[in-house]
Amino acid sequence: MLNMRTNSGVLACLTLPLIASSQSITPSISYNGNANTPQMGWDTYNAYGLDYNETIVRTNAQRLTNLGFRDLGYRVVIFDDAMTERQRAENGSLVANAEKFPSGLATLVDELHSDGLLFGVYSSAGKYTCGKYPGSLGYEKTDADWWSSLGADYLKYDNCYNEGLSGTPKLSQDRYAVMSNALNTSNSNFTYSLCNWGDDKPWEWASTIANSARISGDIYDSFLVPSTSCPCGPDEYYCELPGYGCSVLNILGKASYITSKNQPGYWNDLDMLEVGNGGMTTAEYRTHMTMWAAIKSPLIMGNKLDQLSVADYQILTNPAILALSQDPVGSAAQRRVVKQVEPKDEYGFGEVQIWSGQLYGGDYVVIFLNAANDTQDVEVPLWQVFGLITATQAEEDWATYDLWAENVTISAGVASMVLNGTMDLSSSSTNGTLQATTTPPR
Ligand SMILES: *[C@@H]1O[C@H](CO)[C@@H](O)[C@H](O)[C@H]1NC(C)=O
Ligand SMILES: *[C@@H]1O[C@H](CO)[C@@H](O)[C@H](O)[C@H]1NC(C)=O
Ligand SMILES: *[C@@H]1O[C@H](CO)[C@@H](O)[C@H](O)[C@H]1NC(C)=O
Ligand SMILES: *[C@@H]1O[C@H](CO)[C@@H](O)[C@H](O)[C@H]1NC(C)=O
Ligand SMILES: *[C@@H]1O[C@H](CO)[C@@H](O)[C@H](O)[C@H]1NC(C)=O
Ligand SMILES: *[C@@H]1O[C@H](CO)[C@@H](O)[C@H](O)[C@H]1NC(C)=O
Ligand SMILES: *[C@@H]1O[C@H](CO)[C@@H](O)[C@H](O)[C@H]1NC(C)=O
Ligand SMILES: *[C@@H]1O[C@H](CO)[C@@H](O)[C@H](O)[C@H]1NC(C)=O
């Protein structure tokens, strides 16, 4: 039996060397050699919507570098929608938005690349993007070549205005495959990220043409508050009306049914991280971050990097949680137990979930997620926690590590010096400070 007390919203997360032999790495199924671990980066959309420009991109890109995010793996900067003019040029080419990017996109991309960052673009497999800019349906080759000429490394590809070309997996796959081929025959090496909201179950077909696919409606900055704009509940993993106001707990429920589809080279995308946007408590943001890492969702921040709090910075840079995300085995944690408990909160939630998964070197991650509004005592048999356990394994001595222990994350003192610019982590003299001041348990 495992006995555990968890506080409301707080999450215990530990690794146990359970099996002496080392876990073998799952073979990559990457169709193009990319995304053998989940993608990491930053995207304009959650914090700025369509209202961003080169000043905003520069500010955030600089913070990725100076705050040490780049060196932790957050490298791609995604210009999410509204990067172009509203009309194509006469020859059909997309045209960079001159008002937003007065220095020119090429200059901006050069700056990103010389800082060791990657350039991500966005479009829709439809007539228009979701923001009503020109979409790429019918223009796949033209657009892929244009992005490639600008030096793009990454495409996030949406599903708005798709002209009814969805409703069966074949219709969706065929539509998204056209862009996959166009990217492949361009001069660049793109990571290809589908954003079709789980429409037509991309987890069944996207791995042969893409590196990741969204599985739900858009996330919003709430841990559990249900919203009418996200009509399907957490138990409806296949949803005809995905919507856009989906809470962390809602998306987690949907993801729990399809965790086994993740494998190096293809990842179910739970949507961007909301950490830093102010709508959740620190415990809730920690839980959001931990679960996205454990289930191997891409970790794409969607915040304002010049307005991060110390707590949010500690969450986003936790080296143990990032190691969990980027673990070479590439196996997503699975939900083992959902236990309804009292009291229910005002939204009717009151449950404890237990997740576990295998990591490199024979470690396991075990997560107790208390989504009840009260401290809970949990007692569960070991075989339930791990899915399967032998008598010999149960008798072994285990070392356990709390991945949110105070000495694992960067200290608040160093964090505040980095955030207020007193310490710049991008210079070679301070490089490694983040790694050196934190102590991943193993
Ligand atoms: C693209 O880059 C990845 C590394 O991210 C590499 O493994 C792969 O071979 C590259 N693909 C091509 C076609 O160059
Ligand atoms: C970008 O937007 C910010 C905030 O609205 C504004 O202060 C800045 O001048 C803009 N920069 C450009 C190049 O448009
Ligand atoms: C298409 O037209 C635009 C604007 O006139 C021009 O900048 C671009 O080079 C042209 N693209 C091609 C592929 O000819
Ligand atoms: C394009 O596809 C071919 C055949 O699958 C593959 O060998 C090649 O590496 C791909 N190139 C890129 C850039 O993904
Ligand atoms: C949690 O419980 C406290 C009091 O025990 C109450 O004020 C609060 O509204 C509850 N939260 C939710 C989400 O129900
Ligand atoms: C970190 O703190 C835990 C207790 O919270 C302790 O067991 C562990 O030894 C500490 N690790 C280091 C490297 O100081
Ligand atoms: C930055 O933060 C550190 C640590 O909290 C503090 O000692 C220092 O005075 C701050 N510097 C500025 C310029 O705000
Ligand atoms: C800092 O360290 C990282 C990883 O060790 C390395 O990729 C990067 O180039 C280094 N940056 C500088 C400025 O030394």
Side-chain angles (χ1 to χ4, degrees):
M1 283 290 181
L2 204 59
N3 294 292
M4 190 75 204
R5 167 164 289 199
T6 67
N7 296 321
S8 180
V10 174
L11 167 138
C13 187
L14 24 112
T15 66
L16 317 168
L18 187 60
I19 298 169
S21 68
S22 67
Q23 171 66 31
S24 62
I25 294 172
T26 320
S28 172
I29 50 170
S30 181
Y31 82 105
N32 60 359
N34 287 323
N36 285 317
T37 58
Q39 306 96 282
M40 292 174 65
W42 179 85
D43 179 298
T44 51
Y45 189 74
N46 282 1
Y48 298 98
L50 306 186
D51 202 12
Y52 68 96
N53 60 35
E54 71 177 48
T55 315
I56 286 166
V57 169
R58 278 202 178 105
T59 303
N60 284 284
Q62 196 154 59
R63 301 288 280 182
L64 281 176
T65 307
N66 297 348
L67 303 186
F69 283 116
R70 176 198 63 195
D71 293 338
L72 292 172
Y74 293 97
R75 288 184 66 204
V76 63
V77 176
I78 303 169
F79 292 51
D80 195 326
D81 210 346
M83 185 180 84
T84 68
E85 296 289 354
R86 296 264 181 198
Q87 304 292 331
R88 291 176 179 275
E90 264 174 36
N91 61 16
S93 178
L94 291 168
V95 181
N97 189 306
E99 198 185 323
K100 288 183 169 175
F101 309 109
S103 313
L105 274 180
T107 306
L108 209 50
V109 175
D110 279 350
E111 289 170 20
L112 293 177
H113 282 164
S114 63
D115 281 342
L117 298 169
L118 301 172
F119 173 44
V121 295
Y122 161 99
S123 186
S124 179
K127 189 169 183 189
Y128 303 105
T129 68
C130 299
K132 236 17 205 336
Y133 290 79
S136 297
L137 188 64
Y139 289 89
E140 289 86 354
K141 180 74 185 139
T142 307
D143 292 354
D145 286 343
W146 186 66
W147 297 321
S148 174
S149 75
L150 287 168
D153 306 289
Y154 190 106
L155 171 65
K156 170 178 176 179
Y157 204 35
D158 219 324
N159 195 27
C160 285
Y161 302 101
N162 67 24
E163 305 274 279
L165 294 172
S166 71
T168 70
K170 181 163 178 9
L171 275 174
S172 284
Q173 184 178 23
D174 286 353
R175 185 162 44 95
Y176 281 94
V178 179
M179 182 57 85
S180 184
N181 290 330
L183 297 177
N184 180 296
T185 53
S186 78
N187 289 324
S188 302
N189 187 355
F190 282 85
T191 297
Y192 183 30
S193 158
L194 305 195
C195 177
N196 74 329
W197 330 312
D199 198 9
D200 293 328
K201 304 184 182 170
W203 50 87
E204 304 289 1
W205 48 261
S207 67
T208 56
I209 59 165
N211 299 114
S212 63
R214 282 273 304 282
I215 62 151
S216 71
D218 285 5
I219 193 171
Y220 88 124
D221 193 12
S222 165
F223 187 70
L224 56 67
V225 180
S227 149
T228 50
S229 52
C230 179
C232 297
D235 294 330
E236 296 170 84
Y237 86 100
Y238 187 63
C239 182
E240 298 281 351
L241 287 168
Y244 50 88
C246 301
S247 69
V248 164
L249 213 50
N250 178 288
I251 295 174
L252 217 44
K254 290 168 176 159
S256 69
Y257 297 96
I258 49 177
T259 49
S260 66
K261 303 295 179 184
N262 290 296
Q263 199 166 326
Y266 171 79
W267 310 105
N268 285 332
D269 183 351
L270 277 52
D271 204 1
M272 288 171 282
L273 294 167
E274 293 283 3
V275 181
N277 291 333
M280 300 185 215
T281 65
T282 295
E284 289 170 343
Y285 276 146
R286 263 188 203 165
T287 308
H288 172 27
M289 179 76 186
T290 306
M291 297 313 298
W292 263 229
I295 303 179
K296 316 293 179 193
S297 172
L299 297 180
I300 307 289
M301 296 187 281
N303 46 14
K304 297 185 177 176
L305 292 173
D306 56 348
Q307 292 175 28
L308 281 184
S309 70
V310 165
D312 293 336
Y313 181 61
Q314 289 174 310
I315 290 171
L316 291 163
T317 56
N318 180 320
I321 298 299
L322 295 178
L324 180 58
S325 157
Q326 304 293 302
D327 182 80
V329 170
S331 169
Q334 293 178 54
R335 192 163 73 177
R336 310 287 184 184
V337 177
V338 185
K339 209 173 154 185
Q340 294 302 313
V341 295
E342 300 295 333
K344 302 292 184 211
D345 65 27
E346 59 184 289
Y347 309 104
F349 286 110
E351 65 187 35
V352 170
Q353 303 183 9
I354 300 178
W355 294 66
S356 70
Q358 299 184 341
L359 303 173
Y360 187 70
D363 283 356
Y364 275 70
V365 60
V366 178
I367 299 165
F368 298 88
L369 196 174
N370 180 354
N373 192 10
D374 203 359
T375 302
Q376 296 290 330
D377 290 312
V378 185
E379 188 180 278
V380 271
L382 285 176
W383 68 263
Q384 235 174 38
V385 174
F386 293 104
L388 181 74
I389 189 167
T390 67
T392 332
Q393 287 162 3
E395 281 164 18
E396 282 174 26
D397 283 338
W398 295 353
T400 62
Y401 305 91
D402 175 1
L403 302 188
W404 286 104
E406 235 176 78
N407 58 9
V408 172
T409 57
I410 191 168
S411 74
V414 174
S416 55
M417 288 200 293
V418 174
L419 289 173
N420 73 15
T422 318
M423 184 187 282
D424 179 349
L425 293 183
S426 70
S427 80
S428 49
S429 62
T430 52
N431 199 13
T433 302
L434 245 174
Q435 289 84 349
T437 56
T438 58
T439 50
R442 286 162 67 76

